[in-house]
């Protein structure tokens, strides 16, 4: 027997075959439900605007071309010989894939191209005016890519399959991703989609909402400026630390299927920008003291998020680094050590705690009269609690008694003294 062969997936997640089948339809439905509701005067999740738009009204060849052009541009920028080449973690067969780390360069070039377009008369508020059509086109691209990924995986060797998407059931494997690292030559499809089109698209959409608000009211509101600034900081941080993505569960464990493809190409850019989209039709007045408090809250969240992640990544790269050499650790049977002091001795997932604090700060500029702009933090809390549970199961299998000792010494998972 090939010792590198990926065993069948036996523990099915997300409710198994039935749950993933529902999610394939529920995820797009959620996107369009929220976007449609956001534009109504009530913006109430309990009053879905009727009648619903027809598929014909959502399909626009020009908007489909815009989405493809954006993805194509980011694909071209991702393969340019700039930045550095780095290796991912060791695969099951001990090989390591190479990745081009040039996200910051691509972000800068994208900004220059958008700026040149604006100088040439590009009307960025077009994104707001065609938001539903663009979201529909992105969803079609995600569905199409997911089908191609599944068909490609059927031709891949068994050693290339994902440990979490190898159940043998086509619906489940289509959703979870059947192949771990699908590539076209040296172009890694999952790594590219993880950040490039979606996160940069999110920042571009936010800017388009700011431009639209300026067209409607003469100047952008303080609330809109804060939302843009906070979320742009998050995007810039992601690209500045792009190499750290190579150690995340998405890259190391999850296959590339509908869950990640739709999440990267449609869910992230069109729902993470929900606060900015909301503010265009539901303007909010922020006092300077309130704005100052929100800025401090976001700063605290970002500080926890960045400090915790930097501490973890520094320790993984070089445990002898003076910045982490003094931290207490627990030895494991794998030869690796678990941090049990610093941020990782405070709670088991301090980066998630910082993420959630930031998410709350992003929503507060939208006021307290509607729950809709708080969808992000509600969804993100559920996502991170579920993700944390997946992390726990994997760490227990990997580290055994050492992980049990870590959990004994660090009892709280995300929220100190609560959870």
């Amino acid at each position: 027997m090939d010792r590198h062969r990926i065993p069948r997936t036996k523990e099915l997640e997300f409710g198994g075959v039935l749950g993933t089948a529902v999610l394939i339809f529920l995820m797009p439905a959620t996107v369009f439900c929220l976007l449609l509701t956001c534009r109504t005067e009530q913006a109430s999740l309990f009053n879905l605007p009727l009648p619903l738009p027809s598929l014909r009204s959502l399909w626009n060849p020009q908007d489909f071309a815009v989405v493809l052009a954006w993805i194509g541009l980011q694909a071209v920028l991702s393969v340019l010989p700039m930045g550095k080449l780095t290796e991912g973690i060791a695969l099951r067969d001990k090989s390591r894939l190479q990745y081009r780390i040039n996200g910051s360069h691509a972000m800068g070039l994208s900004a220059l191209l958008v700026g040149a377009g604006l100088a040439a008369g590009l009307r960025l508020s077009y994104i707001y005016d065609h938001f539903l059509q663009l979201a529909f086109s992105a969803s079609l691209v995600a569905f199409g890519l997911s089908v191609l990924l599944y068909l490609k995986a059927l031709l891949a060797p068994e050693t290339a399959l994902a440990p979490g998407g190898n159940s043998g059931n086509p619906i489940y494997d289509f959703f979870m991703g059947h192949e771990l690292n699908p590539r076209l030559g040296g172009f890694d499809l999952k790594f590219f989609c993880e950040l490039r089109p979606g996160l940069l698209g999110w920042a571009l959409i936010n800017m388009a909402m700011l431009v639209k608000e300026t067209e409607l009211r003469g100047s952008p509101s303080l609330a809109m400026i804060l939302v843009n600034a906070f979320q742009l900081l998050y995007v810039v941080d992601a690209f500045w630390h792009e190499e750290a993505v190579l150690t995340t569960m998405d890259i190391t464990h999850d296959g590339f299927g509908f869950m990640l493809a739709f999440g990267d190409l449609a869910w992230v850019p069109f729902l993470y920008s929900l606060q900015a989209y909301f503010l265009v039709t539901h303007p909010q007045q922020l006092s300077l003291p309130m704005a100052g408090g929100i800025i401090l809250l976001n700063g605290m969240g970002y500080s926890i998020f960045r400090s915790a992640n930097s501490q973890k990544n520094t320790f993984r790269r070089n445990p002898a680094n003076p910045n982490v050499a003094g931290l207490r650790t627990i030895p494991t049977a794998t030869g690796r050590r678990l941090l049990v002091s610093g941020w990782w001795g405070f709670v088991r997932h301090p980066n998630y705690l910082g993420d959630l604090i930031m998410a709350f700060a992003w929503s507060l500029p939208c006021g307290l009269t509607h729950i809709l702009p708080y969808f992000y933090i509600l969804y993100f809390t559920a996502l991170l609690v579920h993700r944390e549970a997946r992390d726990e199961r994997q760490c227990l299998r990997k580290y055994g008694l050492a992980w049990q000792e870590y959990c004994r010494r660090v009892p709280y998972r995300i929220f100190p003294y609560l959870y």
Side-chain angles (χ1 to χ4, degrees):
M1 180 181 291
D2 185 350
R3 61 191 180 92
H4 302 314
R5 183 176 176 179
I6 304 298
R8 284 290 188 188
T9 307
K10 295 182 180 179
E11 295 182 12
L12 303 188
E13 302 182 78
F14 299 100
V17 176
L18 179 60
T20 52
V22 171
L23 284 171
I24 289 171
F25 294 97
L26 184 61
M27 288 172 67
T30 300
V31 171
F32 287 96
C33 174
L34 291 173
L35 295 187
L36 285 167
T37 303
C38 195
R39 258 176 133 148
T40 63
E41 184 178 349
Q42 297 82 10
S44 171
L45 294 174
F46 303 103
N47 294 310
L48 186 64
L50 297 173
L52 297 177
S54 65
L55 292 179
R56 177 175 295 182
S57 69
L58 293 175
W59 167 249
N60 185 318
Q62 179 174 310
D63 294 327
F64 188 73
V66 168
V67 170
L68 288 181
W70 175 254
I71 295 172
L73 169 64
Q74 297 309 318
V76 169
L77 294 178
S78 73
V79 298
L80 291 180
M82 53 189 182
K84 67 175 182 178
L85 285 172
T86 191
E87 289 185 336
I89 68 168
L91 301 175
R92 194 178 181 87
D93 62 0
K94 305 305 180 184
S95 66
R96 293 176 183 266
L97 296 174
Q98 282 199 328
Y99 297 88
R100 171 72 64 181
I101 306 298
N102 64 4
S104 295
H105 302 77
M107 180 173 55
L109 288 174
S110 297
L112 288 174
L113 290 171
V114 171
L118 292 173
L122 176 69
R123 186 171 164 269
L124 202 56
S125 56
Y126 177 95
I127 293 175
Y128 174 85
D129 298 336
H130 291 247
F131 205 45
L132 285 175
Q133 289 79 10
L134 291 168
F136 184 71
S137 294
S139 300
L140 290 179
V141 172
F143 268 105
L145 176 60
S146 301
V147 171
L148 293 176
L149 288 168
Y150 183 75
L151 294 177
K152 180 183 181 301
L154 296 178
L155 303 175
E158 286 200 36
T159 54
L161 300 182
N166 189 30
S167 70
N169 182 280
I171 295 176
Y172 185 83
D173 294 345
F174 171 82
F175 179 83
M176 295 297 296
H178 198 31
E179 189 175 358
L180 181 61
N181 298 295
R183 288 190 161 206
L184 297 176
F187 184 74
D188 193 291
L189 292 164
K190 181 168 66 171
F191 179 67
F192 166 70
C193 288
E194 186 76 9
L195 294 182
R196 302 303 179 90
L199 253 65
L200 287 176
W202 174 19
L204 183 64
I205 288 170
N206 276 352
M207 188 185 302
M209 301 306 160
L210 185 148
V211 169
K212 184 65 179 183
E213 187 184 50
T214 303
E215 289 179 1
L216 292 174
R217 302 184 184 95
S219 63
S221 65
L222 179 56
M224 179 69 81
I225 292 171
L226 289 185
V227 167
N228 266 260
F230 291 162
Q231 296 182 351
L232 181 61
L233 171 64
Y234 190 83
V235 171
V236 170
D237 178 270
F239 283 104
W240 188 259
H241 299 94
E242 182 182 21
E243 191 172 352
V245 173
L246 298 178
T247 63
T248 62
M249 183 188 297
D250 287 356
I251 299 295
T252 63
H253 179 267
D254 292 337
F256 191 35
F258 180 81
M259 178 178 71
L260 290 181
F262 187 84
D264 293 340
L265 299 178
W267 187 278
V268 167
F270 291 96
L271 281 193
Y272 283 23
S273 56
L274 196 63
Q275 287 98 349
Y277 190 50
F278 174 86
L279 287 171
V280 175
T281 47
H282 302 84
Q284 303 292 320
Q285 295 295 323
L286 277 184
S287 66
L288 289 179
M290 177 64 75
I294 295 173
I295 291 171
L296 289 176
L297 182 66
N298 188 76
M300 180 178 72
Y302 177 75
S303 177
I304 295 172
F305 169 81
R306 178 41 45 214
S307 298
N309 276 327
S310 295
Q311 197 173 76
K312 175 185 66 177
N313 293 329
T314 300
F315 183 78
R316 283 178 173 176
R317 286 196 302 269
N318 179 18
N321 187 299
N323 293 327
V324 295
L327 297 177
R328 295 189 302 276
T329 61
I330 297 174
T332 72
T334 67
R336 297 181 62 179
R337 304 182 74 87
L338 300 176
L339 281 174
V340 73
S341 64
W343 282 112
W344 300 88
F346 180 56
V347 289
R348 296 179 212 166
H349 299 274
N351 51 338
Y352 292 178
L353 175 63
D355 237 333
L356 290 171
I357 293 172
M358 284 190 291
F360 187 50
W362 300 350
S363 303
L364 284 174
C366 298
L368 301 173
T369 58
H370 293 81
I371 195 172
L372 185 64
Y374 290 83
F375 167 81
Y376 177 81
I377 187 173
L378 296 174
Y379 143 76
F380 208 50
T381 300
L383 174 73
L384 292 182
V385 167
H386 177 264
R387 191 180 183 91
E388 178 273 331
R390 296 178 72 200
D391 284 341
E392 295 271 331
R393 288 194 298 271
Q394 288 190 41
C395 289
L396 181 60
R397 282 196 294 266
K398 188 174 183 179
Y399 301 121
L401 292 176
W403 184 255
Q404 292 179 8
E405 172 63 15
Y406 175 68
C407 293
R408 185 189 69 80
R409 293 172 66 173
V410 186
Y412 298 105
R413 299 169 183 244
I414 299 176
F415 303 102
Y417 306 106
L418 293 176
Y419 175 76

